[in-house]
Amino acid sequence: MDKHEVPVTVRLPGAWLWGVVLVGAGLGVGAAFAVGPVADWMIRLFDGVPGPLKLVAALPLVWSLPVLTLVGALAGAAASASETVARPSSTARYELGRRECCEVFGRDVSCLRADTSGGG
């Protein structure tokens, strides 16, 4: 069985890339304003806060705003980075028996069988 997989690179257009980065930065800005109340709510409800959330909640807003904006923008850039994936080629050949071979074209399958019996 011989399968050839052709790598395909998937990329966003440039405008979409900047859009995703800006959305990530916007989410970072929102997180900077929300982290304090969320940390207070978790302390009242669970008597504790996870370490990273406690660290960010301890920062003054003047520091957490640019830090979380930058983290959000970097997360958006990482999410929209180009991705190379391997996909099976559209035509694949499979050997079913000694003399039988099939080709697959999307949903259609055509099978050829070599008649070597010599009888007809």
Side-chain angles (χ1 to χ4, degrees):
M1 176 164 41
D2 187 25
K3 287 175 68 173
H4 296 285
E5 294 185 358
V6 180
V8 175
T9 301
V10 179
R11 289 192 185 112
L12 286 175
W16 281 81
L17 173 69
W18 284 107
V20 172
V21 170
L22 289 176
V23 166
L27 290 174
V29 168
F33 286 106
V35 73
V38 168
D40 291 340
W41 172 75
M42 288 182 73
I43 288 173
R44 283 194 313 266
L45 191 62
F46 302 114
D47 294 329
V49 179
L53 186 60
K54 185 186 288 187
L55 177 68
V56 174
L59 289 174
L61 184 62
V62 77
W63 281 103
S64 66
L65 188 62
V67 167
L68 290 179
T69 301
L70 182 64
V71 167
L74 291 175
S80 64
S82 65
E83 183 73 29
T84 301
V85 295
R87 66 171 176 85
S89 62
S90 60
T91 303
R93 296 180 72 85
Y94 301 98
E95 190 172 329
L96 298 178
R98 294 184 74 183
R99 309 255 183 214
E100 187 174 354
C101 185
C102 288
E103 289 191 42
V104 179
F105 300 98
R107 292 183 173 204
D108 299 328
V109 177
S110 70
C111 293
L112 305 172
R113 186 175 185 123
D115 188 12
T116 57
S117 62

